[in-house]
C-alpha cells in the first residue's frame, strides 16, 4: 500500500489518516515526484522549467541547476572511490584546486 504524506495546517499526515477529510487539503497534494534516477530541486530549477527534476548527470557537476544550489551541496555529493581526485573552482578546464576523496568526502 502506498500513501502520500502531506503537510496541512502545520501537521503531517497521510492520505489514509483520519485528518485527510477536508476538501482544502487537496490543494497541498500532487507536487511532481522525481523518478529514482533523477534529483529533485526542492527550491526549483534555475531554468524555471517544471517539473523540478534534473538528470543524475546534472547533480554534483559543479554547476548549480537548482535555485538553492542543493544539487551541488557536499552532503548530496558523496565522492567516488577512495583516492579519487577532481579539480574544482578553475576558470578554464584543467585548472583549479585539486581535491581527493577520503572516507566518502571531498
Amino acid at each position: 500500500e502506498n500513501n502520500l504524506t502531506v503537510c496541512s495546517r502545520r501537521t503531517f499526515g497521510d492520505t489514509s489518516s483520519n485528518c485527510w477529510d477536508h476538501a482544502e487539503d487537496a490543494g497541498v497534494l500532487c507536487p511532481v515526484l522525481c523518478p529514482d534516477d533523477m534529483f529533485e530541486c526542492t527550491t526549483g530549477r534555475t531554468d524555471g522549467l517544471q517539473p523540478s527534476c534534473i538528470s543524475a548527470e546534472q547533480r554534483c557537476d559543479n554547476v548549480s541547476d537548482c535555485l538553492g544550489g542543493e544539487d551541488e551541496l557536499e552532503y548530496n555529493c558523496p565522492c567516488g572511490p577512495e583516492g579519487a581526485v577532481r579539480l574544482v573552482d578553475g576558470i578554464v578546464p584543467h585548472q583549479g584546486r585539486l581535491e581527493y576523496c577520503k572516507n566518502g568526502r571531498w
Side-chain angles (χ1 to χ4, degrees), residues 2-55:
N2 292 322
N3 289 316
L4 177 65
T5 301
V6 294
C7 177
S8 177
R9 298 185 187 97
R10 297 181 183 253
T11 60
F12 284 94
D14 61 47
T15 55
S16 66
S17 68
N18 292 334
C19 70
W20 183 256
D21 59 359
H22 302 283
E24 62 269 17
D25 290 340
V28 301
L29 259 181
C30 298
V32 176
L33 302 176
C34 297
D36 289 341
D37 62 340
M38 298 189 83
F39 181 82
E40 181 179 5
C41 294
T42 57
T43 57
R45 292 171 50 151
T46 55
D47 58 14
L49 294 176
Q50 293 293 327
S52 58
C53 304
I54 59 171
S55 70

Side-chain angles (χ1 to χ4, degrees), residues 47-70:
D47 58 14
L49 294 176
Q50 293 293 327
S52 58
C53 304
I54 59 171
S55 70
E57 292 79 22
Q58 290 174 286
R59 182 177 152 213
C60 305
D61 63 354
N62 293 319
V63 176
S64 290
D65 298 292
C66 300
L67 287 174
E70 63 266 29

Side-chain angles (χ1 to χ4, degrees), residues 77-96:
C77 300
C79 66
E82 191 78 11
V85 295
R86 70 178 183 180
L87 287 173
V88 294
D89 298 329
I91 296 172
V92 297
H94 310 294
Q95 237 185 21

